[in-house]
Amino acid sequence: MGINNTLTIKILVFMFAGFFLGLLVRALLSFGIDISYFLDNVLVIGGDVFLALFQMLVVPMVFVAIVCGICSFERSHAISKMGLKSLFLFIITTTVAILLAIIAAGIFNVGSEMQLETVNKMPLSYMPSLWQFIHDVVPSNPIKAMAESNMLQIISFSVLFGIGINISGEHGKKIAAFFYDLNAVGVKYITLLMYLAPYGVFCLMAVLAASHGFKLIIEMLEYFVAVLLALFLHAAFTFSMMLYFSKLSPKVFFHKIYSTMLFAFGLSSSNASIPISLDAVEHQLGVSKRVASFVIPFGTSINKNGTAIMQSIATLFIANAYHINISLMGYVILFLMIVFISLGTVGAPGVGLVTLIVVLKQLGLPIEGMALVIGIDRLLDMVRTAVNVTGNAMVACLVGQSEKQLNHEVYHKIEASISTI
Ligand code: ASP
């Protein structure tokens, strides 16, 4: 059961329908017609239930997915030289992605025209000091950490638990297999949620439009454009520069990876794109089987540049919309959370939204803010998945080049069409 185009269109149609219903409710309320019962009991509750269905998955999914991510280190011998090179490149590309995203969010000033209030009475602008942050990372009781949704503690426990599995030989292998199965079940749950998304998005949009009117659509559009622009710049500029400095032609790279990008775009799933990605990297771009079959699955489980871009801009969008200032320390936490949460973001449709909740929780931002980004996320998911997949293919070429495992003849063998560009 995958996500198809019909569903994407359905979500968009329901989003606009919810928006217009919200405008209608707003107009009726302004004429003194009291339909707040309908607003509060049908639309608000419908939206809240949908968000709760997402939130419900956060703790188990992050735990299971991070354990699987750490187990993939064992499967792929990440400690090898090749593993360290890939890790280094993943961290560089993710860092640039987050920086680009922060700049794009700043240029578009996403969400700053909105005046959202949160019903959540938590101390929203709470930002721990660096030392407090370090102290808070290690849970004395992981069950308590899970019950309290303390994300940082859950992440550190999951990482340690994953390492424990990796060093436990045969016993560890059995547990790892169990976690991979749990992971697959979690992904199916999200796919199921996507089928409910049109109705959830309908309610969420109606509630937002009822309180914010037309301004809402402009703000959402700004967010949408900011994410698209950052994704485009990252793929076109960052990836090209890295290839260029490794003496590999970006033009050839994009020409050969183009169909893989389209495939990932259509499926919104990096995991499902692994076979076609491997084929392109190996047979079109000339990376040896040894490097390709290591970097592509490894990158797919721990590196997601496109998702990092969406999560950074979405976090700033929500913070601005609720007029919550993020301090310098907040930006550091944002960066660390997004890097670590990549470990827990399975390459499947919509998973980036679930792990976005982790970032929001850690920064003390209101989860209701998700309503602003869920509706348009289907389209962004398609584009960011293409960027995720391209990033891993680019890193595979760079590692291949530096390990002398890239066949230049194959890489540069181009059809007449491109040699004339
Ligand atoms: N769909 C993305 C992927 O498969 C993950 C996400 O950002 O939701 O890479």
Side-chain angles (χ1 to χ4, degrees), residues 56-69 146 150-156 158-159 179 183 337 340-341 343-346 351 354-359:
M56 189 199 287
L57 193 64
V58 173
V59 170
M61 173 125 203
V62 166
F63 174 51
V64 172
I66 292 186
V67 169
C68 290
M146 289 186 189
N150 186 324
M151 288 305 160
L152 227 47
Q153 297 192 344
I154 297 171
I155 292 175
S156 63
S158 315
V159 170
F179 269 83
N183 214 6
M337 288 303 292
F340 275 101
I341 213 58
L343 274 174
T345 308
V346 186
V351 183
V354 176
T355 47
L356 170 65
I357 298 180
V358 179
V359 182

PDB file of all heavy atoms in Angstrom, residues 56-69 146 150-156 158-159 179 183 337 340-341 343-346 351 354-359:
ATOM      1  N   MET A  56       0.979  10.143  18.609  1.00  0.00           N
ATOM      2  CA  MET A  56       0.969   8.827  19.229  1.00  0.00           C
ATOM      3  C   MET A  56       2.177   7.990  18.785  1.00  0.00           C
ATOM      4  O   MET A  56       2.714   7.180  19.517  1.00  0.00           O
ATOM      5  CB  MET A  56      -0.327   8.136  18.740  1.00  0.00           C
ATOM      6  CG  MET A  56      -0.697   6.850  19.382  1.00  0.00           C
ATOM      7  SD  MET A  56      -1.870   6.010  18.300  1.00  0.00           S
ATOM      8  CE  MET A  56      -3.340   6.943  18.491  1.00  0.00           C
ATOM      9  N   LEU A  57       2.589   8.256  17.559  1.00  0.00           N
ATOM     10  CA  LEU A  57       3.638   7.420  16.984  1.00  0.00           C
ATOM     11  C   LEU A  57       5.045   7.923  17.314  1.00  0.00           C
ATOM     12  O   LEU A  57       6.023   7.178  17.162  1.00  0.00           O
ATOM     13  CB  LEU A  57       3.457   7.396  15.460  1.00  0.00           C
ATOM     14  CG  LEU A  57       4.252   6.340  14.732  1.00  0.00           C
ATOM     15  CD1 LEU A  57       3.789   4.964  15.169  1.00  0.00           C
ATOM     16  CD2 LEU A  57       4.108   6.478  13.245  1.00  0.00           C
ATOM     17  N   VAL A  58       5.127   9.177  17.770  1.00  0.00           N
ATOM     18  CA  VAL A  58       6.457   9.790  17.870  1.00  0.00           C
ATOM     19  C   VAL A  58       7.431   8.988  18.741  1.00  0.00           C
ATOM     20  O   VAL A  58       8.507   8.602  18.278  1.00  0.00           O
ATOM     21  CB  VAL A  58       6.342  11.240  18.391  1.00  0.00           C
ATOM     22  CG1 VAL A  58       7.707  11.820  18.667  1.00  0.00           C
ATOM     23  CG2 VAL A  58       5.633  12.089  17.362  1.00  0.00           C
ATOM     24  N   VAL A  59       7.035   8.716  19.979  1.00  0.00           N
ATOM     25  CA  VAL A  59       7.982   8.054  20.883  1.00  0.00           C
ATOM     26  C   VAL A  59       8.375   6.652  20.391  1.00  0.00           C
ATOM     27  O   VAL A  59       9.561   6.365  20.216  1.00  0.00           O
ATOM     28  CB  VAL A  59       7.435   8.034  22.327  1.00  0.00           C
ATOM     29  CG1 VAL A  59       8.277   7.152  23.218  1.00  0.00           C
ATOM     30  CG2 VAL A  59       7.381   9.458  22.875  1.00  0.00           C
ATOM     31  N   PRO A  60       7.378   5.770  20.117  1.00  0.00           N
ATOM     32  CA  PRO A  60       7.806   4.438  19.647  1.00  0.00           C
ATOM     33  C   PRO A  60       8.589   4.482  18.347  1.00  0.00           C
ATOM     34  O   PRO A  60       9.585   3.782  18.186  1.00  0.00           O
ATOM     35  CB  PRO A  60       6.488   3.668  19.461  1.00  0.00           C
ATOM     36  CG  PRO A  60       5.395   4.635  19.646  1.00  0.00           C
ATOM     37  CD  PRO A  60       5.921   5.849  20.306  1.00  0.00           C
ATOM     38  N   MET A  61       8.160   5.358  17.436  1.00  0.00           N
ATOM     39  CA  MET A  61       8.817   5.360  16.122  1.00  0.00           C
ATOM     40  C   MET A  61      10.259   5.871  16.219  1.00  0.00           C
ATOM     41  O   MET A  61      11.168   5.314  15.597  1.00  0.00           O
ATOM     42  CB  MET A  61       8.029   6.258  15.164  1.00  0.00           C
ATOM     43  CG  MET A  61       8.711   6.449  13.847  1.00  0.00           C
ATOM     44  SD  MET A  61       7.604   5.968  12.529  1.00  0.00           S
ATOM     45  CE  MET A  61       8.753   5.611  11.244  1.00  0.00           C
ATOM     46  N   VAL A  62      10.454   6.927  17.006  1.00  0.00           N
ATOM     47  CA  VAL A  62      11.807   7.474  17.127  1.00  0.00           C
ATOM     48  C   VAL A  62      12.718   6.418  17.774  1.00  0.00           C
ATOM     49  O   VAL A  62      13.832   6.171  17.302  1.00  0.00           O
ATOM     50  CB  VAL A  62      11.780   8.782  17.953  1.00  0.00           C
ATOM     51  CG1 VAL A  62      13.171   9.189  18.390  1.00  0.00           C
ATOM     52  CG2 VAL A  62      11.169   9.882  17.106  1.00  0.00           C
ATOM     53  N   PHE A  63      12.224   5.781  18.817  1.00  0.00           N
ATOM     54  CA  PHE A  63      13.027   4.751  19.482  1.00  0.00           C
ATOM     55  C   PHE A  63      13.408   3.644  18.490  1.00  0.00           C
ATOM     56  O   PHE A  63      14.587   3.340  18.287  1.00  0.00           O
ATOM     57  CB  PHE A  63      12.239   4.196  20.677  1.00  0.00           C
ATOM     58  CG  PHE A  63      12.898   3.027  21.360  1.00  0.00           C
ATOM     59  CD1 PHE A  63      14.226   3.094  21.763  1.00  0.00           C
ATOM     60  CD2 PHE A  63      12.183   1.862  21.614  1.00  0.00           C
ATOM     61  CE1 PHE A  63      14.840   2.012  22.395  1.00  0.00           C
ATOM     62  CE2 PHE A  63      12.792   0.780  22.250  1.00  0.00           C
ATOM     63  CZ  PHE A  63      14.117   0.851  22.634  1.00  0.00           C
ATOM     64  N   VAL A  64      12.402   3.090  17.838  1.00  0.00           N
ATOM     65  CA  VAL A  64      12.658   1.952  16.939  1.00  0.00           C
ATOM     66  C   VAL A  64      13.534   2.373  15.753  1.00  0.00           C
ATOM     67  O   VAL A  64      14.506   1.699  15.402  1.00  0.00           O
ATOM     68  CB  VAL A  64      11.310   1.362  16.449  1.00  0.00           C
ATOM     69  CG1 VAL A  64      11.533   0.320  15.378  1.00  0.00           C
ATOM     70  CG2 VAL A  64      10.550   0.762  17.627  1.00  0.00           C
ATOM     71  N   ALA A  65      13.210   3.533  15.160  1.00  0.00           N
ATOM     72  CA  ALA A  65      13.946   3.934  13.949  1.00  0.00           C
ATOM     73  C   ALA A  65      15.400   4.276  14.274  1.00  0.00           C
ATOM     74  O   ALA A  65      16.304   3.975  13.486  1.00  0.00           O
ATOM     75  CB  ALA A  65      13.242   5.111  13.292  1.00  0.00           C
ATOM     76  N   ILE A  66      15.642   4.884  15.432  1.00  0.00           N
ATOM     77  CA  ILE A  66      17.039   5.208  15.759  1.00  0.00           C
ATOM     78  C   ILE A  66      17.816   3.920  16.038  1.00  0.00           C
ATOM     79  O   ILE A  66      18.961   3.762  15.593  1.00  0.00           O
ATOM     80  CB  ILE A  66      17.133   6.193  16.944  1.00  0.00           C
ATOM     81  CG1 ILE A  66      16.588   7.547  16.494  1.00  0.00           C
ATOM     82  CG2 ILE A  66      18.576   6.334  17.433  1.00  0.00           C
ATOM     83  CD1 ILE A  66      16.729   8.660  17.467  1.00  0.00           C
ATOM     84  N   VAL A  67      17.192   2.990  16.742  1.00  0.00           N
ATOM     85  CA  VAL A  67      17.875   1.712  16.985  1.00  0.00           C
ATOM     86  C   VAL A  67      18.237   1.072  15.626  1.00  0.00           C
ATOM     87  O   VAL A  67      19.367   0.621  15.422  1.00  0.00           O
ATOM     88  CB  VAL A  67      16.989   0.770  17.840  1.00  0.00           C
ATOM     89  CG1 VAL A  67      17.560  -0.635  17.856  1.00  0.00           C
ATOM     90  CG2 VAL A  67      16.866   1.303  19.262  1.00  0.00           C
ATOM     91  N   CYS A  68      17.288   1.107  14.682  1.00  0.00           N
ATOM     92  CA  CYS A  68      17.575   0.522  13.352  1.00  0.00           C
ATOM     93  C   CYS A  68      18.702   1.285  12.664  1.00  0.00           C
ATOM     94  O   CYS A  68      19.566   0.685  12.019  1.00  0.00           O
ATOM     95  CB  CYS A  68      16.329   0.564  12.458  1.00  0.00           C
ATOM     96  SG  CYS A  68      15.077  -0.562  13.006  1.00  0.00           S
ATOM     97  N   GLY A  69      18.673   2.616  12.783  1.00  0.00           N
ATOM     98  CA  GLY A  69      19.735   3.421  12.165  1.00  0.00           C
ATOM     99  C   GLY A  69      21.098   3.029  12.712  1.00  0.00           C
ATOM    100  O   GLY A  69      22.064   2.851  11.958  1.00  0.00           O
ATOM    101  N   MET A 146      10.373   8.164  28.217  1.00  0.00           N
ATOM    102  CA  MET A 146       9.384   7.914  27.159  1.00  0.00           C
ATOM    103  C   MET A 146       8.006   8.418  27.591  1.00  0.00           C
ATOM    104  O   MET A 146       7.288   9.025  26.804  1.00  0.00           O
ATOM    105  CB  MET A 146       9.328   6.430  26.826  1.00  0.00           C
ATOM    106  CG  MET A 146      10.583   5.978  26.086  1.00  0.00           C
ATOM    107  SD  MET A 146      10.456   4.296  25.540  1.00  0.00           S
ATOM    108  CE  MET A 146      12.122   4.014  24.979  1.00  0.00           C
ATOM    109  N   ASN A 150      10.462  12.912  26.638  1.00  0.00           N
ATOM    110  CA  ASN A 150      11.701  13.688  26.672  1.00  0.00           C
ATOM    111  C   ASN A 150      12.595  13.214  25.511  1.00  0.00           C
ATOM    112  O   ASN A 150      13.286  12.209  25.590  1.00  0.00           O
ATOM    113  CB  ASN A 150      12.410  13.491  28.012  1.00  0.00           C
ATOM    114  CG  ASN A 150      13.616  14.387  28.113  1.00  0.00           C
ATOM    115  OD1 ASN A 150      14.298  14.632  27.127  1.00  0.00           O
ATOM    116  ND2 ASN A 150      13.865  14.901  29.307  1.00  0.00           N
ATOM    117  N   MET A 151      12.515  13.966  24.426  1.00  0.00           N
ATOM    118  CA  MET A 151      13.089  13.488  23.165  1.00  0.00           C
ATOM    119  C   MET A 151      14.593  13.273  23.204  1.00  0.00           C
ATOM    120  O   MET A 151      15.119  12.295  22.696  1.00  0.00           O
ATOM    121  CB  MET A 151      12.728  14.459  22.032  1.00  0.00           C
ATOM    122  CG  MET A 151      11.292  14.355  21.677  1.00  0.00           C
ATOM    123  SD  MET A 151      10.946  12.623  21.277  1.00  0.00           S
ATOM    124  CE  MET A 151       9.219  12.567  21.468  1.00  0.00           C
ATOM    125  N   LEU A 152      15.262  14.219  23.824  1.00  0.00           N
ATOM    126  CA  LEU A 152      16.719  14.119  23.879  1.00  0.00           C
ATOM    127  C   LEU A 152      17.145  12.845  24.604  1.00  0.00           C
ATOM    128  O   LEU A 152      18.047  12.117  24.177  1.00  0.00           O
ATOM    129  CB  LEU A 152      17.233  15.336  24.647  1.00  0.00           C
ATOM    130  CG  LEU A 152      18.392  16.088  24.052  1.00  0.00           C
ATOM    131  CD1 LEU A 152      18.162  16.330  22.585  1.00  0.00           C
ATOM    132  CD2 LEU A 152      18.584  17.395  24.788  1.00  0.00           C
ATOM    133  N   GLN A 153      16.465  12.576  25.700  1.00  0.00           N
ATOM    134  CA  GLN A 153      16.788  11.384  26.486  1.00  0.00           C
ATOM    135  C   GLN A 153      16.416  10.115  25.719  1.00  0.00           C
ATOM    136  O   GLN A 153      17.141   9.121  25.762  1.00  0.00           O
ATOM    137  CB  GLN A 153      16.061  11.434  27.827  1.00  0.00           C
ATOM    138  CG  GLN A 153      16.507  12.608  28.673  1.00  0.00           C
ATOM    139  CD  GLN A 153      16.023  12.520  30.101  1.00  0.00           C
ATOM    140  OE1 GLN A 153      15.127  11.750  30.419  1.00  0.00           O
ATOM    141  NE2 GLN A 153      16.620  13.309  30.969  1.00  0.00           N
ATOM    142  N   ILE A 154      15.315  10.186  24.998  1.00  0.00           N
ATOM    143  CA  ILE A 154      14.915   9.000  24.213  1.00  0.00           C
ATOM    144  C   ILE A 154      15.968   8.744  23.129  1.00  0.00           C
ATOM    145  O   ILE A 154      16.370   7.603  22.889  1.00  0.00           O
ATOM    146  CB  ILE A 154      13.520   9.194  23.578  1.00  0.00           C
ATOM    147  CG1 ILE A 154      12.478   9.341  24.678  1.00  0.00           C
ATOM    148  CG2 ILE A 154      13.168   8.032  22.659  1.00  0.00           C
ATOM    149  CD1 ILE A 154      11.101   9.745  24.186  1.00  0.00           C
ATOM    150  N   ILE A 155      16.444   9.828  22.515  1.00  0.00           N
ATOM    151  CA  ILE A 155      17.450   9.658  21.455  1.00  0.00           C
ATOM    152  C   ILE A 155      18.717   9.036  22.038  1.00  0.00           C
ATOM    153  O   ILE A 155      19.256   8.063  21.503  1.00  0.00           O
ATOM    154  CB  ILE A 155      17.766  11.015  20.774  1.00  0.00           C
ATOM    155  CG1 ILE A 155      16.548  11.496  19.978  1.00  0.00           C
ATOM    156  CG2 ILE A 155      18.983  10.896  19.853  1.00  0.00           C
ATOM    157  CD1 ILE A 155      16.687  12.869  19.363  1.00  0.00           C
ATOM    158  N   SER A 156      19.185   9.570  23.181  1.00  0.00           N
ATOM    159  CA  SER A 156      20.449   9.038  23.707  1.00  0.00           C
ATOM    160  C   SER A 156      20.275   7.585  24.145  1.00  0.00           C
ATOM    161  O   SER A 156      21.145   6.746  23.907  1.00  0.00           O
ATOM    162  CB  SER A 156      20.998   9.912  24.842  1.00  0.00           C
ATOM    163  OG  SER A 156      20.113   9.900  25.916  1.00  0.00           O
ATOM    164  N   SER A 158      18.174   5.448  22.825  1.00  0.00           N
ATOM    165  CA  SER A 158      18.065   4.621  21.609  1.00  0.00           C
ATOM    166  C   SER A 158      19.433   4.375  20.990  1.00  0.00           C
ATOM    167  O   SER A 158      19.730   3.256  20.542  1.00  0.00           O
ATOM    168  CB  SER A 158      17.184   5.309  20.557  1.00  0.00           C
ATOM    169  OG  SER A 158      16.026   5.817  21.137  1.00  0.00           O
ATOM    170  N   VAL A 159      20.274   5.425  20.975  1.00  0.00           N
ATOM    171  CA  VAL A 159      21.607   5.271  20.390  1.00  0.00           C
ATOM    172  C   VAL A 159      22.393   4.232  21.190  1.00  0.00           C
ATOM    173  O   VAL A 159      22.984   3.294  20.625  1.00  0.00           O
ATOM    174  CB  VAL A 159      22.355   6.629  20.369  1.00  0.00           C
ATOM    175  CG1 VAL A 159      23.819   6.447  20.004  1.00  0.00           C
ATOM    176  CG2 VAL A 159      21.688   7.592  19.388  1.00  0.00           C
ATOM    177  N   PHE A 179      13.620  -5.369  15.534  1.00  0.00           N
ATOM    178  CA  PHE A 179      13.451  -3.920  15.398  1.00  0.00           C
ATOM    179  C   PHE A 179      13.194  -3.529  13.934  1.00  0.00           C
ATOM    180  O   PHE A 179      12.403  -2.633  13.665  1.00  0.00           O
ATOM    181  CB  PHE A 179      14.670  -3.173  15.963  1.00  0.00           C
ATOM    182  CG  PHE A 179      14.498  -2.844  17.419  1.00  0.00           C
ATOM    183  CD1 PHE A 179      14.778  -3.787  18.394  1.00  0.00           C
ATOM    184  CD2 PHE A 179      14.018  -1.607  17.823  1.00  0.00           C
ATOM    185  CE1 PHE A 179      14.599  -3.497  19.743  1.00  0.00           C
ATOM    186  CE2 PHE A 179      13.826  -1.309  19.168  1.00  0.00           C
ATOM    187  CZ  PHE A 179      14.122  -2.262  20.129  1.00  0.00           C
ATOM    188  N   ASN A 183       9.967  -1.509  12.673  1.00  0.00           N
ATOM    189  CA  ASN A 183      10.115  -0.318  11.854  1.00  0.00           C
ATOM    190  C   ASN A 183       9.177  -0.371  10.646  1.00  0.00           C
ATOM    191  O   ASN A 183       8.511   0.612  10.310  1.00  0.00           O
ATOM    192  CB  ASN A 183      11.568  -0.268  11.352  1.00  0.00           C
ATOM    193  CG  ASN A 183      12.059   1.144  11.242  1.00  0.00           C
ATOM    194  OD1 ASN A 183      11.373   2.079  11.643  1.00  0.00           O
ATOM    195  ND2 ASN A 183      13.231   1.320  10.697  1.00  0.00           N
ATOM    196  N   MET A 337      19.314  18.523  16.934  1.00  0.00           N
ATOM    197  CA  MET A 337      18.126  17.667  16.862  1.00  0.00           C
ATOM    198  C   MET A 337      17.918  17.177  15.432  1.00  0.00           C
ATOM    199  O   MET A 337      17.623  16.001  15.207  1.00  0.00           O
ATOM    200  CB  MET A 337      16.869  18.443  17.302  1.00  0.00           C
ATOM    201  CG  MET A 337      16.770  18.732  18.763  1.00  0.00           C
ATOM    202  SD  MET A 337      16.843  17.275  19.787  1.00  0.00           S
ATOM    203  CE  MET A 337      15.326  16.446  19.400  1.00  0.00           C
ATOM    204  N   PHE A 340      20.522  14.543  14.504  1.00  0.00           N
ATOM    205  CA  PHE A 340      20.294  13.254  15.159  1.00  0.00           C
ATOM    206  C   PHE A 340      18.991  12.599  14.718  1.00  0.00           C
ATOM    207  O   PHE A 340      18.908  11.385  14.622  1.00  0.00           O
ATOM    208  CB  PHE A 340      20.320  13.403  16.684  1.00  0.00           C
ATOM    209  CG  PHE A 340      21.721  13.331  17.201  1.00  0.00           C
ATOM    210  CD1 PHE A 340      22.403  14.475  17.544  1.00  0.00           C
ATOM    211  CD2 PHE A 340      22.370  12.108  17.287  1.00  0.00           C
ATOM    212  CE1 PHE A 340      23.717  14.414  17.984  1.00  0.00           C
ATOM    213  CE2 PHE A 340      23.682  12.036  17.717  1.00  0.00           C
ATOM    214  CZ  PHE A 340      24.354  13.194  18.077  1.00  0.00           C
ATOM    215  N   ILE A 341      18.020  13.448  14.463  1.00  0.00           N
ATOM    216  CA  ILE A 341      16.723  12.870  14.139  1.00  0.00           C
ATOM    217  C   ILE A 341      16.734  12.241  12.740  1.00  0.00           C
ATOM    218  O   ILE A 341      15.887  11.406  12.422  1.00  0.00           O
ATOM    219  CB  ILE A 341      15.592  13.918  14.324  1.00  0.00           C
ATOM    220  CG1 ILE A 341      14.322  13.229  14.787  1.00  0.00           C
ATOM    221  CG2 ILE A 341      15.317  14.728  13.104  1.00  0.00           C
ATOM    222  CD1 ILE A 341      14.447  12.474  16.038  1.00  0.00           C
ATOM    223  N   LEU A 343      18.661  10.111  11.907  1.00  0.00           N
ATOM    224  CA  LEU A 343      18.843   8.690  12.222  1.00  0.00           C
ATOM    225  C   LEU A 343      17.502   7.996  12.396  1.00  0.00           C
ATOM    226  O   LEU A 343      17.383   6.794  12.179  1.00  0.00           O
ATOM    227  CB  LEU A 343      19.580   8.560  13.555  1.00  0.00           C
ATOM    228  CG  LEU A 343      21.085   8.589  13.593  1.00  0.00           C
ATOM    229  CD1 LEU A 343      21.541   8.585  15.036  1.00  0.00           C
ATOM    230  CD2 LEU A 343      21.629   7.365  12.878  1.00  0.00           C
ATOM    231  N   GLY A 344      16.529   8.769  12.865  1.00  0.00           N
ATOM    232  CA  GLY A 344      15.225   8.173  13.173  1.00  0.00           C
ATOM    233  C   GLY A 344      14.183   8.436  12.099  1.00  0.00           C
ATOM    234  O   GLY A 344      13.028   8.112  12.280  1.00  0.00           O
ATOM    235  N   THR A 345      14.594   9.078  10.994  1.00  0.00           N
ATOM    236  CA  THR A 345      13.617   9.350   9.939  1.00  0.00           C
ATOM    237  C   THR A 345      13.723   8.269   8.866  1.00  0.00           C
ATOM    238  O   THR A 345      14.642   8.264   8.063  1.00  0.00           O
ATOM    239  CB  THR A 345      13.875  10.746   9.317  1.00  0.00           C
ATOM    240  OG1 THR A 345      13.937  11.709  10.372  1.00  0.00           O
ATOM    241  CG2 THR A 345      12.768  11.129   8.360  1.00  0.00           C
ATOM    242  N   VAL A 346      12.767   7.378   8.906  1.00  0.00           N
ATOM    243  CA  VAL A 346      12.765   6.297   7.918  1.00  0.00           C
ATOM    244  C   VAL A 346      12.456   6.902   6.546  1.00  0.00           C
ATOM    245  O   VAL A 346      11.673   7.856   6.445  1.00  0.00           O
ATOM    246  CB  VAL A 346      11.673   5.262   8.279  1.00  0.00           C
ATOM    247  CG1 VAL A 346      11.738   4.059   7.356  1.00  0.00           C
ATOM    248  CG2 VAL A 346      11.801   4.838   9.719  1.00  0.00           C
ATOM    249  N   VAL A 351       7.257  10.552   6.904  1.00  0.00           N
ATOM    250  CA  VAL A 351       7.948  10.289   8.178  1.00  0.00           C
ATOM    251  C   VAL A 351       8.608  11.576   8.722  1.00  0.00           C
ATOM    252  O   VAL A 351       8.661  11.799   9.927  1.00  0.00           O
ATOM    253  CB  VAL A 351       8.996   9.166   8.024  1.00  0.00           C
ATOM    254  CG1 VAL A 351       9.655   8.862   9.350  1.00  0.00           C
ATOM    255  CG2 VAL A 351       8.340   7.909   7.496  1.00  0.00           C
ATOM    256  N   VAL A 354       6.520  13.287  11.228  1.00  0.00           N
ATOM    257  CA  VAL A 354       6.496  12.698  12.570  1.00  0.00           C
ATOM    258  C   VAL A 354       7.741  13.151  13.344  1.00  0.00           C
ATOM    259  O   VAL A 354       7.658  13.570  14.498  1.00  0.00           O
ATOM    260  CB  VAL A 354       6.434  11.154  12.501  1.00  0.00           C
ATOM    261  CG1 VAL A 354       6.520  10.543  13.885  1.00  0.00           C
ATOM    262  CG2 VAL A 354       5.157  10.718  11.819  1.00  0.00           C
ATOM    263  N   THR A 355       8.891  13.118  12.661  1.00  0.00           N
ATOM    264  CA  THR A 355      10.105  13.488  13.391  1.00  0.00           C
ATOM    265  C   THR A 355      10.208  15.007  13.578  1.00  0.00           C
ATOM    266  O   THR A 355      10.922  15.469  14.456  1.00  0.00           O
ATOM    267  CB  THR A 355      11.370  12.906  12.729  1.00  0.00           C
ATOM    268  OG1 THR A 355      11.326  13.147  11.331  1.00  0.00           O
ATOM    269  CG2 THR A 355      11.483  11.414  12.962  1.00  0.00           C
ATOM    270  N   LEU A 356       9.435  15.764  12.784  1.00  0.00           N
ATOM    271  CA  LEU A 356       9.379  17.220  13.029  1.00  0.00           C
ATOM    272  C   LEU A 356       8.797  17.479  14.425  1.00  0.00           C
ATOM    273  O   LEU A 356       9.211  18.400  15.127  1.00  0.00           O
ATOM    274  CB  LEU A 356       8.527  17.894  11.942  1.00  0.00           C
ATOM    275  CG  LEU A 356       8.179  19.365  12.173  1.00  0.00           C
ATOM    276  CD1 LEU A 356       9.446  20.234  12.161  1.00  0.00           C
ATOM    277  CD2 LEU A 356       7.206  19.878  11.112  1.00  0.00           C
ATOM    278  N   ILE A 357       7.853  16.634  14.826  1.00  0.00           N
ATOM    279  CA  ILE A 357       7.235  16.794  16.155  1.00  0.00           C
ATOM    280  C   ILE A 357       8.316  16.698  17.236  1.00  0.00           C
ATOM    281  O   ILE A 357       8.281  17.407  18.238  1.00  0.00           O
ATOM    282  CB  ILE A 357       6.134  15.728  16.383  1.00  0.00           C
ATOM    283  CG1 ILE A 357       5.022  15.916  15.348  1.00  0.00           C
ATOM    284  CG2 ILE A 357       5.567  15.812  17.802  1.00  0.00           C
ATOM    285  CD1 ILE A 357       3.875  14.925  15.451  1.00  0.00           C
ATOM    286  N   VAL A 358       9.307  15.829  17.007  1.00  0.00           N
ATOM    287  CA  VAL A 358      10.387  15.661  17.984  1.00  0.00           C
ATOM    288  C   VAL A 358      11.148  16.987  18.151  1.00  0.00           C
ATOM    289  O   VAL A 358      11.431  17.425  19.266  1.00  0.00           O
ATOM    290  CB  VAL A 358      11.378  14.570  17.502  1.00  0.00           C
ATOM    291  CG1 VAL A 358      12.515  14.398  18.477  1.00  0.00           C
ATOM    292  CG2 VAL A 358      10.646  13.259  17.293  1.00  0.00           C
ATOM    293  N   VAL A 359      11.440  17.620  17.021  1.00  0.00           N
ATOM    294  CA  VAL A 359      12.185  18.885  17.064  1.00  0.00           C
ATOM    295  C   VAL A 359      11.341  19.949  17.780  1.00  0.00           C
ATOM    296  O   VAL A 359      11.837  20.676  18.650  1.00  0.00           O
ATOM    297  CB  VAL A 359      12.556  19.356  15.629  1.00  0.00           C
ATOM    298  CG1 VAL A 359      13.365  20.628  15.670  1.00  0.00           C
ATOM    299  CG2 VAL A 359      13.306  18.267  14.885  1.00  0.00           C
TER     300      VAL A 359
END
